């Protein structure tokens, strides 16, 4: 997105759904999200090597969008355990917000809980709307598992940061199983074709 803006291009979002194969196991999912977040981190660091030059090149509005999208995605995944811990602590002892050491601490606790609740409400509404558009009625039962999903996303963020430090050029590719049956059928068809070919005699020297 930032690269496009630097060279005078514009990017947008298509309105039609994309049919991509989701990872089949949590291990594959974790590797995929680690790769994605690591890409976000590298992209953000590369473009922010000269922040003033970037701001002058793309303007204030695009700069703000880049910070909210690029840096915000990473921060949201990294600090989500803090949101959950604040919400759990407040649910166990609601008076903790009044017993905070300072008004600033109380405001931070309240802001964490507000972001936690508002984020999950918005995400749940968007998920239900998407499932309804795809005519899937039973799937909304998985929405209560969103906290676990976001905690796994935080784990992927920490893995991405660690890989960025020790193995910046390592990318955990996602194995796509949906292409295996087609590949096997193509391979078997080629093998049958080879077996059906008659043996040609070698030409005389």
């Amino acid at each position: 997105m930032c690269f496009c803006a630097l060279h005078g291009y514009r990017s947008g979002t298509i309105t039609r759904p994309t049919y991509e194969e989701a990872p089949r196991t949590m291990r594959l999912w974790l590797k995929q999200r680690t790769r994605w977040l690591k890409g976000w981190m590298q992209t953000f660091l590369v473009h922010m090597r000269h922040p003033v030059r970037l701001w002058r090149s793309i303007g204030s509005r695009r700069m703000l969008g880049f910070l909210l999208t690029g840096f915000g995605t990473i921060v949201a995944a990294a600090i989500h355990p803090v949101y959950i811990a604040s919400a759990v602590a407040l649910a166990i002892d609601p008076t903790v917000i009044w017993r905070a050491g300072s008004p600033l601490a109380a405001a931070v606790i309240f802001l964490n809980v507000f972001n936690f609740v508002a984020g999950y409400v918005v995400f749940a509404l968007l998920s239900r709307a998407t499932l309804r558009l795809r005519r899937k009625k039973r799937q909304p039962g998985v929405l209560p598992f969103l906290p676990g999903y976001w905690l796994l996303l935080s784990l992927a963020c920490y893995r991405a940061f660690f890989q960025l430090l020790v193995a910046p050029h390592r990318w955990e590719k996602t194995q796509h199983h949906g292409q295996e049956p087609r590949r096997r059928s193509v391979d078997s068809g080629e093998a049958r074709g080879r077996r059906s070919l008659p043996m040609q005699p070698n030409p005389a020297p």
Side-chain angles (χ1 to χ4, degrees):
M1 179 181 66
C2 190
F3 177 83
C4 294
L6 283 172
H7 293 80
Y9 294 97
R10 297 178 61 184
S11 59
T13 304
I14 60 176
T15 58
R16 307 305 300 172
T18 58
Y19 297 96
E20 300 178 4
E21 180 186 354
R24 293 186 176 183
T25 63
M26 188 180 71
R27 182 179 180 183
L28 292 177
W29 180 92
L30 189 62
K31 289 182 177 181
Q32 183 189 66
R33 294 308 192 274
T34 299
R35 185 180 73 248
W36 289 0
L37 287 168
K38 185 179 176 182
W40 279 100
M41 294 176 185
Q42 285 193 353
T43 302
F44 181 80
L45 291 175
V46 168
H47 286 295
M48 290 300 292
R49 287 181 297 185
H50 305 286
V52 176
R53 183 189 306 174
L54 178 65
W55 170 62
R56 291 175 178 175
S57 300
I58 65 177
S60 300
R61 184 172 61 89
R62 290 189 177 93
M63 184 69 175
L64 179 61
F66 173 69
L67 292 175
L68 292 176
T69 305
F71 189 64
T73 299
I74 301 170
V75 172
I79 67 174
H80 195 75
V82 178
Y83 288 158
I84 292 183
S86 300
V88 171
L90 192 61
I92 295 175
D93 185 8
T95 62
V96 68
I97 195 171
W98 288 278
R99 292 187 289 104
S102 64
L104 179 60
V108 170
I109 295 175
F110 177 79
L111 183 62
N112 287 343
V113 175
F114 175 80
N115 289 335
F116 175 79
V117 175
Y120 273 99
V121 169
V122 172
F123 197 83
L125 292 176
L126 290 175
S127 300
R128 290 194 62 182
T130 303
L131 293 172
R132 187 164 53 250
L133 288 174
R134 295 188 176 184
R135 299 178 180 179
K136 295 183 178 181
K137 299 180 179 180
R138 298 181 180 180
Q139 296 299 326
V142 303
L143 295 180
F145 296 96
L146 285 178
Y149 170 86
W150 278 96
L151 285 176
L152 289 174
L153 195 63
S154 298
L155 177 60
C157 184
Y158 301 142
R159 291 183 77 248
F161 181 73
F162 178 75
Q163 284 190 13
L164 187 64
L165 296 178
V166 300
H169 302 291
R170 178 186 178 188
W171 300 98
E172 297 177 322
K173 297 297 183 178
T174 305
Q175 182 180 3
H176 295 282
H177 298 275
Q179 299 177 359
E180 290 182 354
R182 183 176 179 274
R183 289 175 180 173
R184 286 197 295 265
S185 62
V186 171
D187 294 340
S188 61
E190 292 178 352
R192 287 194 300 270
R194 287 193 297 267
R195 288 194 299 267
S196 62
L197 290 176
M199 295 297 294
Q200 300 292 335
N202 294 327

